[in-house]
């Protein structure tokens, strides 16, 4: 709990909190304004859509704030592509030479055939 409070009270996070609160207030005011326009004499269905849309924006801002707080407290591990990859060496046989891999050799022959066929085709 203390870690959460220390994190959420840093200057950067305080600025984010203020930004989210201001955004939600602005979206709420704009949604209410569109709602009143939707009930006016020159209203269209578009005004109802805009009123609803502003409230969706406010909910999205709160959702993204919650997601940022959650991610800051429990960061995800780096993706698999960002981790260093160790090369896998062939397993040597008893005499020290790598054992031939029949499946790999067949695949390499297949690729060589494809490459040879591609070279013969006119461009």
């Amino acid at each position: 709990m203390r870690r959460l409070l220390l994190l959420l009270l840093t200057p950067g996070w305080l600025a984010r909190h203020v930004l989210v609160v201001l955004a939600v207030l602005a979206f709420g005011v704009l949604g209410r304004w569109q709602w009143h326009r939707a009930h006016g004499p020159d209203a269209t269905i578009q005004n109802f859509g805009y009123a609803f849309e502003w409230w969706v924006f406010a909910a999205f801002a709160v959702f993204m704030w919650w997601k940022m707080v959650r991610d800051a407290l429990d960061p995800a591990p780096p993706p698999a592509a960002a981790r260093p990859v160790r090369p896998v060496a062939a397993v040597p046989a008893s005499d020290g030479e790598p054992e031939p891999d029949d499946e790999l050799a067949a695949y390499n022959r297949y690729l060589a055939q494809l490459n040879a066929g591609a070279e013969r085709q006119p461009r």
Side-chain angles (χ1 to χ4, degrees), residues 5-26:
L5 289 176
L6 289 177
L7 174 71
L8 297 180
L9 295 178
T10 61
W13 274 103
L14 289 175
R16 289 180 190 134
H17 301 323
V18 169
L19 180 66
V20 168
V21 168
L22 291 176
V24 168
L25 289 175

Side-chain angles (χ1 to χ4, degrees), residues 24-97:
V24 168
L25 289 175
F27 295 155
V29 168
L30 290 168
R32 189 169 181 216
W33 169 66
Q34 282 293 336
W35 184 257
H36 290 300
R37 290 221 16 162
H39 289 88
D42 59 343
T44 64
I45 191 73
Q46 188 175 18
N47 295 113
F48 283 107
Y50 285 147
F52 176 71
E53 185 178 43
W54 285 114
W55 285 102
V56 169
F57 289 160
F60 184 72
V62 171
F63 170 75
M64 289 307 295
W65 171 83
W66 172 77
K67 186 166 174 38
M68 286 189 319
V69 168
R70 190 186 64 179
D71 289 346
L73 293 177
D74 187 26
R83 294 186 195 138
V85 178
R86 285 191 329 224
V88 178
V91 178
S94 59
D95 60 355
E97 290 293 319

